[in-house]
Amino acid sequence: MAWLMVVLAGLLETGFAVNLKLSHGFTRPAPTIAFALFALASFGLLTASLKHLPVGSAYAVWTGIGAAGTAVYGMVWLNESTATLKLVSITLVIAGVVGLQLSGSGH
């Protein structure tokens, strides 16, 4: 159940990123409100799941799902294949390193 919450939080993180792109600097009300709701829901679920899971592993999974979802959105709807892939690659590497360090496995 806790891992399911992390996966759901990662998917909500994709929604958070998508709505950030759609809000254009927070000048449009609907995407800005959705941005806030996705962010609160994602961080809330992640925080709840951390009561039962290792911080590093949960954080890495959450970040990875969010990055992958954002990449798919960028490639399919925004034609950002090159920039998005670079961004996601960097994000996944950082998430993996941070996850290992936080879980104590990176020594």
Side-chain angles (χ1 to χ4, degrees):
M1 183 64 177
W3 278 113
L4 182 61
M5 290 196 309
V6 174
V7 170
L8 186 54
L11 294 173
L12 288 169
E13 180 68 6
T14 296
F16 163 89
V18 167
N19 280 285
L20 177 61
K21 288 179 179 287
L22 294 177
S23 68
H24 299 295
F26 306 108
T27 55
R28 297 171 57 204
T32 302
I33 291 167
F35 166 82
L37 292 175
F38 273 110
L40 289 172
S42 179
F43 292 125
L45 277 174
L46 182 66
T47 302
S49 70
L50 290 178
K51 294 176 183 175
H52 308 287
L53 296 172
V55 174
S57 304
Y59 176 80
V61 169
W62 169 74
T63 307
I65 292 171
T70 304
V72 170
Y73 170 78
M75 288 184 289
V76 173
W77 283 283
L78 303 178
N79 289 327
E80 289 182 354
S81 56
T82 308
T84 301
L85 286 173
K86 286 180 188 171
L87 176 67
V88 169
S89 297
I90 292 167
T91 304
L92 290 173
V93 169
I94 292 171
V97 170
V98 171
L100 287 173
Q101 290 301 318
L102 290 175
S103 65
S105 303
H107 299 293

